[in-house]
Amino acid sequence: MARHQRARLPLAVALAGALAGMGAAAPAAHAEAPKKPSKKESKVDCAKVKCLALTFDDGPGKYAGKLLDTLKKYDAKATFFLEGQYAKSRPEFVKRMAKEGHDLGNHSYKHPKFREITDQEISEELTTTQEAVKKAAGRSPTMIRPPYGEFDERTVRIAAQMGLPLVLWNGGSRDWATKNETAIYKEVLRSAKRDGVILMHDWVQQTVTVMPKLLKELKRQGYHLVAVTSLLRDGRKLEPGEVYPDPKVKQEDLESPPEDMQSPEDEEL
């Protein structure tokens, strides 16, 4: 299975057209309200403190349990963009992610390029993943991250119809490329900024291994590690079909694996 290639966001005009037509699309009942935060979580106000959202694509990978142990130990929340096929094969990790207060996102069922498949196929990829995650966790993903970070007006429209926003990223780890703990550590620290959304992968063993050291340093620098939904100000919620963060970012920040890069997961299913 192909993995991420360098993300190429659609032209502004295509996105503008999609958003303009979005008003007619009524949210469907595919999405559910995010889990109510605990008292401890609700104290994190990203308008007052420096926050950062770590996000993990393509999972749950086989190292997800160790990653969840680390996040719990350091009182850090994350956002997991799950593939339906792995949510189905590793439901215990999905259930734990939801129970421990992490955001759950939809990353398609088998990671195809949305620009190269039909509207019906896009809808099926997303819907079957919603169902697989809900079966495992008891609740559905509340956001979408399209494979490779690539989308067009059709994806925006379908997301709006499903009542879901699109969540991209504005910083990376290049963990898929280097698979080197030191390189991953340095790249995340280089990319980290207030209210940033960092792209990582829980199937990369080196990412999971370096996470304790990374979390310690990020906290030392004053960051609160939160789920994506906690970055929003004044109780604002992402709207159906909204693209967040602002897609007008530097192209070099939108790195992801070449399409011939396969994760170890491909050999297991």
Side-chain angles (χ1 to χ4, degrees):
M1 183 205 326
R3 276 292 172 264
H4 294 280
Q5 71 178 143
R6 177 170 292 275
R8 295 168 303 199
L9 297 178
L11 294 175
V13 62
L15 179 58
L19 295 175
M22 194 180 68
H30 293 267
E32 296 181 356
K35 179 182 176 183
K36 187 177 180 180
S38 67
K39 291 181 179 179
K40 189 171 184 180
E41 291 176 79
S42 64
K43 293 180 180 179
V44 178
D45 183 351
C46 293
K48 298 179 180 179
V49 300
K50 188 166 66 170
C51 292
L52 182 70
L54 301 181
T55 68
F56 298 88
D57 284 9
D58 304 339
K62 60 185 178 182
Y63 308 115
K66 182 178 179 180
L67 175 59
L68 288 168
D69 289 343
T70 299
L71 293 172
K72 185 175 183 179
K73 178 179 179 179
Y74 290 92
D75 191 28
K77 300 303 180 186
T79 302
F80 292 90
F81 289 95
L82 307 169
E83 289 187 33
Q85 59 179 335
Y86 302 132
K88 182 178 180 180
S89 65
R90 297 192 181 94
E92 68 280 4
F93 290 150
V94 181
K95 183 177 181 179
R96 185 178 168 188
M97 290 168 182
K99 182 179 179 180
E100 296 182 1
H102 303 290
D103 276 356
L104 302 182
N106 186 325
H107 198 48
S108 81
Y109 196 84
K110 286 192 174 183
H111 210 276
K113 291 183 177 182
F114 279 5
R115 289 178 178 176
E116 297 180 2
I117 61 178
T118 67
D119 291 26
Q120 180 62 31
E121 289 170 327
I122 293 173
S123 182
E124 288 176 356
E125 282 280 331
L126 297 173
T127 300
T128 53
T129 300
Q130 291 293 102
E131 294 169 352
V133 173
K134 184 175 182 179
K135 183 177 180 180
R139 60 185 174 93
S140 302
T142 57
M143 61 193 79
I144 293 168
R145 175 171 284 169
Y148 310 104
E150 294 185 352
F151 64 96
D152 56 22
E153 67 278 3
R154 296 178 305 138
T155 305
V156 173
R157 172 172 48 79
I158 292 168
Q161 291 170 347
M162 293 179 68
L164 300 172
L166 279 71
V167 175
L168 306 176
W169 62 92
N170 50 24
S173 63
R174 295 188 60 80
D175 54 358
W176 54 270
T178 64
K179 294 186 179 178
N180 177 280
E181 292 177 31
T182 300
I184 294 167
Y185 177 83
K186 290 181 178 179
E187 185 66 21
V188 171
L189 294 181
R190 184 191 70 81
S191 300
K193 61 181 179 180
R194 184 170 184 172
D195 298 335
V197 180
I198 303 293
L199 171 66
M200 309 184 82
H201 300 85
D202 67 7
W203 56 265
V204 178
Q205 185 175 15
Q206 293 82 357
T207 291
V208 176
T209 302
V210 79
M211 194 56 57
K213 178 182 177 182
L214 184 56
L215 293 179
K216 286 180 184 178
E217 178 59 23
L218 288 170
K219 284 178 172 286
R220 189 193 69 79
Q221 293 185 17
Y223 285 104
H224 292 255
L225 288 310
V226 301
V228 166
T229 50
S230 296
L231 292 177
L232 305 178
R233 302 285 192 269
D234 302 320
R236 186 177 85 80
K237 295 181 180 180
L238 294 174
E239 298 295 329
E242 179 180 352
V243 181
Y244 178 89
D246 187 346
K248 301 182 185 66
V249 297
K250 294 180 180 179
Q251 185 67 28
E252 58 265 29
D253 289 334
L254 296 173
E255 47 67 51
S256 33
E259 63 179 298
D260 60 351
M261 173 71 72
Q262 293 187 317
S263 87
E265 309 299 330
D266 299 316
E267 301 174 1
E268 298 181 8
L269 298 183

